[in-house]
Amino acid sequence: MPEFTATIETALESLLEQKKYNTIKDLLTTMNPSDIAFLFEDMAEYQQRLALLFRLLPKQLAAEVFVELEVETQELLITGFSDRELHDIINEMYVDDAVDLVEEMPAGVVKRILSQADPETRRTINEFLKYPEDSAGSIMTTEYVDLSEDLTAGGAIEHIRETGLDKETVNVCYVIDNRRKLIGAVSIRSIILARPDALIGDIMEDNVISVATHEDQEEVAQMFARYNFTVLPVVDKEQRLIGIVTVDDAIDVIQEEATEDMAKMAAMSHSDKPYMRLTTFEIWKSRIPWLMLLMLSSTFTQMIISGFEDALSACIALTGFIPMLMGTGGNSGSQASVTIIRGLSLKEIELSDVFRILWKELRVSLLCGLSLCVVNFAKLMIFDQLGVAVALVVSGALLATIIVAKLVGCVLPLLAEKLGFDPAVMASPFITTIVDALSLLIYFALAVMVLGI
Amino acid sequence: MPEFTATIETALESLLEQKKYNTIKDLLTTMNPSDIAFLFEDMAEYQQRLALLFRLLPKQLAAEVFVELEVETQELLITGFSDRELHDIINEMYVDDAVDLVEEMPAGVVKRILSQADPETRRTINEFLKYPEDSAGSIMTTEYVDLSEDLTAGGAIEHIRETGLDKETVNVCYVIDNRRKLIGAVSIRSIILARPDALIGDIMEDNVISVATHEDQEEVAQMFARYNFTVLPVVDKEQRLIGIVTVDDAIDVIQEEATEDMAKMAAMSHSDKPYMRLTTFEIWKSRIPWLMLLMLSSTFTQMIISGFEDALSACIALTGFIPMLMGTGGNSGSQASVTIIRGLSLKEIELSDVFRILWKELRVSLLCGLSLCVVNFAKLMIFDQLGVAVALVVSGALLATIIVAKLVGCVLPLLAEKLGFDPAVMASPFITTIVDALSLLIYFALAVMVLGI
């Protein structure tokens, strides 16, 4: 909503100039935390003004806005906070958000945050910090409602009314036994729809799908996508309930992982920060390693071409088709690799499918190769008016290149998955470099054979 | 969960052979609809067996499994259904799922479906069909709970208990006035936590964010990602509530759009079907158009090379660097274009940022270009032992190529967005073709100038 933010921004600025703080407060209170955060980000250059605006927010809203801000802006604000203000924000936040904050801040700030947190909050934060990054444990929250199976529906509603006020979600409650083992789940909807004297044990769903604390966050997110959940329980090795992951965090993971895959496919390292907030130097750092590596690895193609210098001088027209061959090879390879990489990440493809995939890609590459070959041959004969021999060499090399490219393009990501690497790294640029070298070798070998040069 | 599905599959097969249908029924009833659908898909080749298994499912579970199946499998099953069976399935389904089904089926099957639907369901399906594809209206459901603001919390719970049984979600209820205008939202949580005699009008949130029926589904999905909603109300032009979109549909849209963007970036048209179910011919159809176009457009690079044939024969070493120049140009361009395309689709970048983006990319391209240039120059002098003149020509062309590639890579997606096309089409392969031609022109022009050939 760019237009919308722009108008509010102008209004705010003139209200600030007129020092109409009460009006500003009323105005901000009508807005959604995400929108306020978005607005504040655009003002982050004016630290004074930002702190002033932030202090106008009611406590609860302030905490909600705070977690939506960028790490840099959060740090900027914390530096300006009094201990009292920091205390209020930290203890108003959901625990999983507080953990995120602690993970992102430099050590000095973390110390201040922990010293201002309530003992209970501090204990939970410390406990959370032991889970590996990007695991289910690291994105879960402990603010869920648990029930025992011998409670009645009416009793459960009473229990929720007493304890549920602080919980991040009460749409689904979890049923545990006396050793905290997860034995069922029951939606608020079923509790309300049940007769007040019905037993939770009778209305609960007892086949609960749960995840382990160490499960990768990408796997967890895919489970949300597959099962249409809004919340998923997290259990330890003894099947004891210790937290929940909510769907909003799963959406963030899904978006982030897709962005990361796209960045890797385009030979970049990935950053969590939005593009407009990255400095020139940060962008350079994310892009230069692969560019450098790929530039240096093109020494191979350069050496192959030098090796066939005599053949090229004998038939200089052959040079003109090098870009076409390499381009088509690169495109064919990246079509196959991107398809496989995305299929793997959506779990539509499994490693055990490798032979079916190879067989499929072989047939596709033959179909694609032959179609392109026929058109290319006709073009060379009619439009370029080259001899049959040259046309055969170019078209033959084209067909072989496409087959090689498609097979390399599907095998490398599968191999990466098998070896436990991220398949996305095996995308277009990497494959293009390999296919470039192979296609030139095929091209020159054919030229030497057919043209006898 | 590949291993898991495999074991259940083996168990099912031997149970089928032993004709232990009651055991199978009990086994299936313990499973999640998505898992059952996954299992059934793997058996889709055996139509008889599939129909047999499907008939073993209880009515409600059968409907839930049915909506998770692929279109082909659904059609297969419907063909085998009796009118009675079809009737049960259709009327057990949520209306938005029934609409999806009607949209995907061939005309003959649609006629049968509509004839078996209850009058109420048929009316709703017909109404839904008027919304454009990929709009909020097309993915919404009408199964929500609405309340009036003068109801008490206790009365609301009573109302939900009476009417909520069929609703897809009752986690959030919407408050409407007597002309059905949306005036507020209230979560089940707040209703339960409120005193039973509190008025809905007092506990409701009155700043409700809603979407219009014709809103693009991608925009709607981004709102879920941004605001952490689990449900979003859909209103018509007069702000009257007519449906809701739930978060599970938003996740599907987010995944689908990311997959579509990746396919377009790799020069393919996108298909909704998973890779393993596509026929060779369907894959060929999605890949050949861009391959053909890009192959034919390389005629430009071929013509440029022919135009400089004399220069190339004079200094044949220059040929060896063509792949390096074009490769680095292609990679630099796709880094910029993929960054911009993803930024636009996540709304992190706006069209009005165009000059800031150009300025940023210019600086990044200078940094990247100079780093690569220095390394490349050193390599040419020390490793390849070429003269200063040739090293200058190659390195100079490299720098110019990178700058051109980065600028073209960020301008083209922005231009596409401005003109209302999908920016993803302007990704790597398209940009590579343009950059290839430009980099060769720069390279040869420099060679002629510096080397005087």
Side-chain angles (χ1 to χ4, degrees):
Chain A
M1 274 145 285
E3 318 87 35
F4 151 77
T5 315
T7 22
I8 290 269
E9 236 173 349
T10 339
L12 262 188
E13 264 171 38
S14 63
L15 286 171
L16 271 172
E17 271 168 34
Q18 301 166 43
K19 298 194 198 298
K20 295 203 170 163
Y21 299 128
N22 272 328
T23 318
I24 295 177
K25 188 174 172 177
D26 290 345
L27 178 64
L28 290 177
T29 326
T30 66
M31 289 169 64
N32 186 295
S34 309
D35 283 333
I36 301 179
F38 198 75
L39 200 63
F40 280 12
E41 286 301 338
D42 278 348
M43 306 186 128
E45 316 161 44
Y46 314 103
Q47 196 185 345
Q48 294 288 321
R49 183 177 285 191
L50 183 64
L52 175 66
L53 283 175
F54 194 81
R55 290 197 174 101
L56 290 175
L57 297 174
K59 232 200 276 184
Q60 169 75 37
L61 186 59
E64 284 171 22
V65 170
F66 189 80
V67 300
E68 299 281 338
L69 292 170
E70 300 291 329
V71 178
E72 284 75 14
T73 320
Q74 291 177 329
E75 201 181 330
L76 212 70
L77 276 173
I78 292 182
T79 327
F81 280 163
S82 70
D83 281 353
R84 181 78 233 158
E85 284 172 322
L86 185 57
H87 173 268
D88 286 351
I89 290 284
I90 298 298
N91 298 297
E92 201 65 51
M93 277 160 76
Y94 288 121
V95 167
D96 57 339
D97 293 329
V99 173
D100 279 354
L101 182 67
V102 168
E103 275 174 341
E104 306 267 13
M105 290 293 132
V109 180
V110 169
K111 227 169 141 182
R112 248 194 96 204
I113 292 175
L114 287 177
S115 76
Q116 289 307 320
D118 289 338
E120 171 73 5
T121 311
R122 188 162 55 238
R123 204 179 51 77
T124 324
I125 292 178
N126 279 323
E127 219 157 74
F128 263 77
L129 289 175
K130 73 173 187 237
Y131 298 112
E133 216 190 318
D134 296 345
S135 69
S138 76
I139 55 169
M140 73 180 181
T141 169
T142 48
E143 279 140 340
Y144 53 84
V145 176
D146 49 32
L147 304 172
S148 79
E149 58 179 329
D150 45 17
L151 216 58
T152 60
I157 290 183
E158 212 39 61
H159 178 76
I160 295 166
R161 201 175 271 150
E162 278 160 23
T163 64
L165 208 49
D166 267 356
K167 309 302 178 187
E168 190 163 349
T169 172
V170 288
N171 296 335
V172 179
C173 303
Y174 291 98
V175 187
I176 51 176
D177 66 12
N178 49 13
R179 301 163 83 175
R180 296 203 60 75
K181 248 182 81 175
L182 178 67
I183 52 172
V186 56
S187 66
I188 278 284
R189 165 186 169 167
S190 320
I191 298 180
I192 293 183
L193 297 178
R195 280 173 302 104
D197 58 347
L199 281 182
I200 293 295
D202 294 333
I203 57 173
M204 75 182 186
E205 183 75 51
D206 47 11
N207 272 298
V208 193
I209 293 180
S210 61
V211 292
T213 44
H214 56 80
E215 188 75 78
D216 187 80
Q217 62 172 2
E218 205 173 341
E219 300 284 332
V220 178
Q222 285 305 327
M223 289 179 74
F224 276 92
R226 181 159 166 189
Y227 294 110
N228 297 344
F229 292 140
T230 56
V231 58
L232 202 53
V234 182
V235 295
D236 66 9
K237 269 182 238 135
E238 282 80 41
Q239 291 292 318
R240 282 178 308 210
L241 179 66
I242 49 169
I244 56 172
V245 177
T246 51
V247 67
D248 52 323
D249 295 318
I251 291 184
D252 290 346
V253 171
I254 287 174
Q255 297 241 52
E256 204 180 284
E257 300 282 350
T259 308
E260 202 181 318
D261 279 358
M262 287 184 201
K264 283 187 191 146
M265 286 176 189
M268 291 179 281
S269 63
H270 168 67
S271 157
D272 282 344
K273 272 207 256 180
Y275 174 76
M276 295 308 289
R277 298 201 201 288
L278 287 168
T279 65
T280 305
F281 186 70
E282 285 170 325
I283 300 180
W284 173 81
K285 257 201 339 202
S286 75
R287 293 186 187 175
I288 195 71
W290 275 103
L291 282 184
M292 191 66 81
L293 185 72
L294 295 172
M295 181 187 81
L296 291 177
S297 68
S298 67
T299 309
F300 292 112
T301 51
Q302 180 200 334
M303 280 161 62
I304 294 169
I305 292 180
S306 325
F308 288 86
E309 243 167 42
D310 298 340
L312 280 179
S313 343
C315 181
I316 195 88
L318 289 179
T319 312
F321 300 106
I322 292 179
M324 186 273 288
L325 273 181
M326 295 192 350
T328 308
N331 290 331
S332 305
S334 66
Q335 287 181 335
S337 66
V338 167
T339 306
I340 301 299
I341 291 167
R342 187 64 178 160
L344 282 170
S345 99
L346 293 181
K347 314 263 171 248
E348 289 174 359
I349 291 178
E350 288 158 25
L351 267 182
S352 54
D353 295 327
V354 58
F355 293 108
R356 283 167 65 199
I357 295 172
L358 276 175
W359 174 228
K360 197 174 268 229
E361 285 297 325
L362 184 67
R363 282 175 298 166
V364 172
S365 66
L366 275 172
L367 264 185
C368 285
L370 287 174
S371 334
L372 291 180
C373 247
V374 169
V375 174
N376 187 55
F377 190 83
K379 169 178 169 285
L380 291 182
M381 296 296 291
I382 299 164
F383 181 78
D384 295 314
Q385 308 235 322
L386 291 164
V388 181
V390 174
L392 271 181
V393 169
V394 176
S395 304
L398 183 63
L399 177 61
T401 299
I402 292 169
I403 296 176
V404 168
K406 291 259 182 236
L407 294 184
V408 171
C410 73
V411 165
L412 283 191
L414 288 169
L415 192 69
E417 174 86 2
K418 175 83 189 166
L419 298 177
F421 298 119
D422 185 345
V425 175
M426 293 296 179
S428 351
F430 192 78
I431 285 169
T432 303
T433 305
I434 295 176
V435 170
D436 278 357
L438 291 176
S439 66
L440 281 180
L441 279 177
I442 297 169
Y443 186 38
F444 292 136
L446 264 181
V448 170
M449 264 167 49
V450 177
L451 303 176
I453 47 178
Chain B
M1 275 146 288
E3 318 89 34
F4 151 76
T5 314
T7 22
I8 290 269
E9 239 172 347
T10 337
L12 262 188
E13 265 172 38
S14 62
L15 286 172
L16 270 173
E17 270 167 34
Q18 301 166 42
K19 297 197 198 299
K20 295 202 169 162
Y21 298 130
N22 272 328
T23 318
I24 296 177
K25 188 173 173 176
D26 289 345
L27 178 65
L28 289 176
T29 326
T30 67
M31 289 171 64
N32 187 295
S34 310
D35 283 332
I36 301 179
F38 199 72
L39 200 64
F40 281 12
E41 286 300 338
D42 279 347
M43 309 187 128
E45 317 161 41
Y46 315 102
Q47 196 183 345
Q48 294 289 319
R49 184 177 284 193
L50 184 66
L52 175 65
L53 283 175
F54 194 82
R55 289 196 176 102
L56 290 175
L57 298 172
K59 230 199 276 186
Q60 169 75 37
L61 185 60
E64 284 171 25
V65 170
F66 189 80
V67 300
E68 300 281 337
L69 292 170
E70 300 291 329
V71 178
E72 284 77 12
T73 320
Q74 290 177 330
E75 203 182 329
L76 211 69
L77 276 172
I78 292 182
T79 327
F81 280 163
S82 69
D83 281 354
R84 181 77 233 160
E85 283 172 323
L86 185 58
H87 173 268
D88 286 349
I89 289 284
I90 298 299
N91 298 297
E92 199 66 49
M93 277 161 74
Y94 288 121
V95 167
D96 56 341
D97 293 328
V99 172
D100 279 353
L101 182 68
V102 168
E103 275 174 341
E104 306 270 12
M105 290 292 132
V109 180
V110 169
K111 227 171 143 183
R112 246 194 97 202
I113 293 175
L114 287 178
S115 76
Q116 290 307 320
D118 290 338
E120 171 72 5
T121 311
R122 187 162 55 238
R123 204 179 51 78
T124 323
I125 293 177
N126 279 324
E127 219 159 72
F128 263 76
L129 288 175
K130 73 172 186 240
Y131 298 113
E133 214 190 322
D134 296 343
S135 69
S138 77
I139 55 169
M140 73 181 182
T141 168
T142 48
E143 279 140 338
Y144 53 85
V145 176
D146 49 32
L147 304 171
S148 80
E149 58 179 329
D150 46 18
L151 215 57
T152 60
I157 290 182
E158 213 38 62
H159 179 76
I160 295 167
R161 203 174 271 150
E162 279 162 21
T163 64
L165 209 49
D166 267 356
K167 308 302 179 187
E168 189 163 351
T169 173
V170 290
N171 296 335
V172 179
C173 304
Y174 292 98
V175 188
I176 52 174
D177 66 11
N178 49 14
R179 300 163 85 176
R180 298 204 57 78
K181 247 182 81 174
L182 178 67
I183 52 172
V186 57
S187 66
I188 279 283
R189 164 187 169 163
S190 321
I191 298 179
I192 293 183
L193 298 176
R195 280 173 301 105
D197 59 345
L199 280 182
I200 292 295
D202 294 333
I203 57 174
M204 75 183 186
E205 184 74 52
D206 47 11
N207 272 299
V208 193
I209 294 181
S210 61
V211 293
T213 43
H214 56 79
E215 188 75 75
D216 186 80
Q217 62 172 3
E218 204 173 343
E219 300 283 333
V220 178
Q222 284 306 326
M223 290 180 75
F224 276 91
R226 182 160 168 187
Y227 295 110
N228 297 344
F229 292 139
T230 55
V231 56
L232 204 52
V234 183
V235 297
D236 66 9
K237 269 184 236 134
E238 282 81 39
Q239 291 292 315
R240 282 177 308 209
L241 179 65
I242 48 166
I244 55 172
V245 177
T246 51
V247 67
D248 52 323
D249 295 320
I251 290 183
D252 289 347
V253 171
I254 287 174
Q255 298 240 54
E256 202 181 287
E257 299 283 349
T259 308
E260 200 179 320
D261 279 358
M262 288 184 200
K264 282 187 190 147
M265 286 176 188
M268 291 178 280
S269 62
H270 167 67
S271 157
D272 282 343
K273 271 206 254 179
Y275 173 76
M276 296 306 291
R277 299 202 200 289
L278 287 169
T279 65
T280 305
F281 186 70
E282 284 170 326
I283 300 179
W284 173 80
K285 256 198 346 198
S286 75
R287 294 186 185 174
I288 195 72
W290 276 103
L291 282 184
M292 191 65 83
L293 185 72
L294 295 171
M295 181 186 83
L296 290 177
S297 69
S298 67
T299 309
F300 292 113
T301 51
Q302 179 200 337
M303 281 161 61
I304 293 169
I305 292 180
S306 324
F308 287 87
E309 242 167 45
D310 298 340
L312 279 179
S313 344
C315 179
I316 195 89
L318 289 180
T319 312
F321 300 104
I322 293 180
M324 188 273 289
L325 273 181
M326 296 192 347
T328 309
N331 290 330
S332 305
S334 66
Q335 286 181 336
S337 66
V338 167
T339 306
I340 302 298
I341 291 166
R342 186 63 178 162
L344 283 170
S345 99
L346 293 180
K347 314 265 171 246
E348 289 174 0
I349 291 177
E350 288 157 24
L351 264 183
S352 54
D353 294 327
V354 58
F355 292 109
R356 283 167 66 199
I357 295 171
L358 275 175
W359 176 227
K360 196 173 271 231
E361 286 296 325
L362 185 64
R363 283 175 299 166
V364 172
S365 66
L366 275 171
L367 264 185
C368 286
L370 287 173
S371 335
L372 291 181
C373 245
V374 169
V375 174
N376 187 55
F377 190 82
K379 171 180 168 281
L380 291 181
M381 295 296 291
I382 299 164
F383 180 80
D384 295 315
Q385 308 235 324
L386 290 165
V388 181
V390 173
L392 270 181
V393 168
V394 176
S395 304
L398 184 63
L399 178 62
T401 297
I402 293 169
I403 296 176
V404 168
K406 291 259 182 234
L407 295 183
V408 171
C410 73
V411 166
L412 283 190
L414 288 169
L415 192 70
E417 174 86 3
K418 175 83 189 168
L419 298 177
F421 297 118
D422 184 345
V425 176
M426 292 298 179
S428 353
F430 192 78
I431 286 168
T432 303
T433 305
I434 294 177
V435 171
D436 278 356
L438 291 175
S439 67
L440 281 179
L441 279 177
I442 297 169
Y443 186 39
F444 293 136
L446 263 180
V448 170
M449 264 167 50
V450 176
L451 303 177
I453 47 179

